[in-house]
Amino acid sequence: MHRNGKWWPLAAVCLGNLMLLIDVTIVVTALPDIARELDAGLTAQQWVLDAYALALAALLLALGAAGDRYGRRRVYLVGLTGFAISSLVCGLAPGPELLVAARAVQGVAGAAMFASNAPLLAATYGGRDRGVAFGVWGAVNGAASALGVLLGGVLTQYLDWRYIFLVNLPISAFAIWLTWRTVGESRNPAGGRIDWWGTAAFTGSAAALVYGLIRGGEYGWSDALSVASLVSAGLALAAFVAIERAVVRRGRGLPVLDLGLLRRPSFAALMTAAALLTGAAFAHYTYTMLWLQYALGLSPVRAGLAVLPMAATVFVVAAAGGRLLDRLPPRLPISVGVLLIGVGLLLQTAVSPDSAWTVLLPGLTVTGVGVGVAVPVLVSAALAAAPQERSGMASGALNTFRQLGFALGVAVLGTLFTAGGPPRTLADFADALDRIYLTAGLAAVFAAALVALLVREPATRRAAGPPTPTERQRVPTGGGR
């Protein structure tokens, strides 16, 4: 590639990554309009978010392995194409059922993109250029949440909620063309079999758990289908464990997740913290947005601006503190950051029937500082807590747990939101939000304590950053950040 065009592959990868991460949060601001036009209840609104997050979480590791075996550029292009098609279906959906189904397909496509983008950058750039590439890529990741909430408000208010999906079409088309022209193919010739059975069991367990939680919150915990779903989730999880052990025992390929990693206290604590951090810090947006738009009557743009301080704080803190945080033992910034998330959420319990949207500002700002401190260190900490030959799997597992935490957070907090019946007055909304913020805050405090107690500094710290191509040659199932 001509030297003047060396950053075009970075642009191609960042475009796809920006789209798939924005689509986690862009829907939040548009949910009230979606609900009104499609006559979608709270359950359907939860699934519009969770169908995407679940598919993204469940397939990250398997599609990372597919990229190693069949070509990361190929998998990335397939993901971009699928993302464009499913976005079109989302934008044209006449009812909530098709919208939820299309969101699930969009999540599968997003997983293909997410699992491929970091390996593509690692294979394309080396030396100082690699550091620059991953710095830009990380900044794009940090900006996505801010852009998602705000962009969702702007498109919904000034065009229509359907444009939050249709806007992906020209971006996808340009990203496909740019990838085809500028990104080279890379793969791992030694890649083994893809653990599709393990992937299916994990997906089934996660989907059944989320379905059971959402249905239980709506119909009660004695509802037969709610109970059956939760039992099915447990059985599918047991099947997943058995399958992963069998894959290791037979030595045919690699498991989708090496369960031996979870027997390492540091790694297990980091995965738990990643799930609780994401669920606590971001899942409440769904219900906060309902309060801002339904109860307070804010427009989509004003509602997006109301929660923007958190995302802006994340971006500033992460960018300003990156080098300093990386010099500290990972246990310190992660535990302190997650604790600040808990404190920020507890501050948000100040919401009352007479509150204006400004009551959220102190809590959102403190939470943003916590996310900005903790999240940048999580990747390097997860890599350091795993054997070097499992670095790709460790980074992929981290992203899986984060997305799974968001999906479960939406479901769990939704049961609390409707615990006293669907909120219809300012007093009801205040009570429901207090329950949500209190539970999420305590979950974050618990995660901080877990990290402080269990995460230990490895004997030899590895440099921060994603796995190198050499490391990924050893780990066919690597994926994610």
Side-chain angles (χ1 to χ4, degrees):
M1 189 190 310
H2 193 277
R3 183 165 180 80
N4 289 338
K6 70 176 180 179
W7 298 118
W8 285 119
L10 173 62
V13 168
C14 284
L15 272 176
N17 210 44
L18 183 66
M19 273 196 308
L20 75 92
L21 290 177
I22 279 179
D23 269 55
V24 177
T25 57
I26 196 172
V27 177
V28 171
T29 326
L31 277 177
D33 282 60
I34 292 173
R36 279 190 290 267
E37 182 172 332
L38 301 186
D39 193 24
L42 182 61
T43 297
Q45 294 175 59
Q46 289 173 297
W47 275 112
V48 169
L49 291 168
D50 271 358
Y52 182 82
L54 267 176
L56 190 60
L59 294 172
L60 264 174
L61 286 166
L63 290 174
D68 288 339
R69 186 172 187 180
Y70 300 114
R72 294 145 188 165
R73 176 176 174 264
R74 177 181 296 176
V75 169
Y76 186 64
L77 283 169
V78 169
L80 282 168
T81 304
F83 202 85
I85 295 171
S86 55
S87 294
L88 176 62
V89 177
C90 286
L92 299 178
E97 296 82 7
L98 183 58
L99 177 58
V100 170
R103 282 284 283 173
V105 177
Q106 197 181 36
V108 175
M113 296 154 61
F114 205 7
S116 305
N117 52 36
L120 281 173
L121 290 183
T124 303
Y125 299 103
R128 183 175 298 177
D129 285 349
R130 179 180 294 169
V132 173
F134 276 106
V136 172
W137 180 73
V140 168
N141 290 350
S145 59
L147 288 173
V149 175
L150 186 57
L151 184 60
V154 170
L155 292 174
T156 300
Q157 183 169 330
Y158 294 110
L159 292 173
D160 186 83
W161 67 263
R162 296 179 183 276
Y163 283 89
I164 68 174
F165 301 114
L166 297 178
V167 72
N168 292 330
L169 298 179
I171 300 173
S172 296
F174 180 63
I176 290 169
W177 177 82
L178 196 58
T179 301
W180 187 266
R181 292 292 303 271
T182 66
V183 178
E185 185 59 279
S186 66
R187 56 169 55 87
N188 178 9
R193 295 182 178 181
I194 300 172
D195 182 14
W196 291 119
W197 286 110
T199 300
F202 179 78
T203 304
S205 177
L209 178 58
V210 170
Y211 181 83
L213 289 171
I214 291 176
R215 185 175 177 88
E218 183 177 8
Y219 293 98
W221 300 108
S222 59
D223 173 71
L225 192 51
S226 302
V227 173
S229 297
L230 295 175
V231 171
S232 298
L235 293 174
L237 180 61
F240 171 71
V241 172
I243 291 168
E244 299 308 278
R245 287 177 175 172
V247 170
V248 172
R249 186 171 62 251
R250 294 170 184 169
R252 297 179 180 177
L254 287 173
V256 68
L257 177 62
D258 185 348
L259 299 178
L261 291 174
L262 296 178
R263 290 195 289 270
R264 294 169 169 255
S266 290
F267 189 83
L270 288 169
M271 296 303 106
T272 304
L276 291 176
L277 181 158
T278 308
F282 298 103
H284 72 81
Y285 269 4
T286 307
Y287 311 104
T288 300
M289 212 46 79
L290 294 178
W291 175 65
L292 290 171
Q293 294 191 54
Y294 279 135
L296 300 189
L298 269 62
S299 67
V301 170
R302 289 189 64 194
L305 289 171
V307 298
L308 187 61
M310 174 180 159
T313 304
V314 172
F315 184 74
V316 171
V317 171
R323 291 186 178 181
L324 172 62
L325 295 173
D326 192 51
R327 296 192 188 105
L328 300 173
R331 176 177 58 175
L332 182 60
I334 296 174
S335 59
V336 170
V338 178
L339 180 61
L340 286 173
I341 292 171
V343 172
L345 287 162
L346 293 176
L347 287 174
Q348 288 177 224
T349 60
V351 170
S352 71
D354 301 322
S355 295
W357 67 269
T358 51
V359 73
L360 299 176
L361 288 178
L364 287 173
T365 303
V366 173
T367 299
V369 172
V371 174
V373 168
V375 169
V377 188
L378 270 174
V379 176
S380 56
L383 292 176
Q388 187 165 345
E389 66 274 12
R390 290 287 186 267
S391 58
M393 186 180 288
S395 63
L398 178 68
N399 287 312
T400 294
F401 275 87
R402 287 179 63 184
Q403 296 302 326
L404 187 60
F406 179 81
L408 291 174
V410 169
V412 171
L413 297 182
T415 65
L416 297 172
F417 188 70
T418 58
R424 300 187 186 279
T425 66
L426 287 172
D428 292 338
F429 268 102
D431 289 343
L433 287 178
D434 282 348
R435 289 193 297 270
I436 284 175
Y437 296 145
L438 177 62
T439 303
L442 292 178
V445 171
F446 170 77
L450 200 65
V451 170
L453 290 172
L454 296 181
V455 175
R456 291 290 177 266
E457 180 76 355
T460 303
R461 288 190 68 192
R462 240 178 298 158
T468 66
T470 302
E471 289 172 338
R472 292 191 56 81
Q473 289 283 336
R474 301 185 185 121
V475 193
T477 53
R481 294 183 192 175

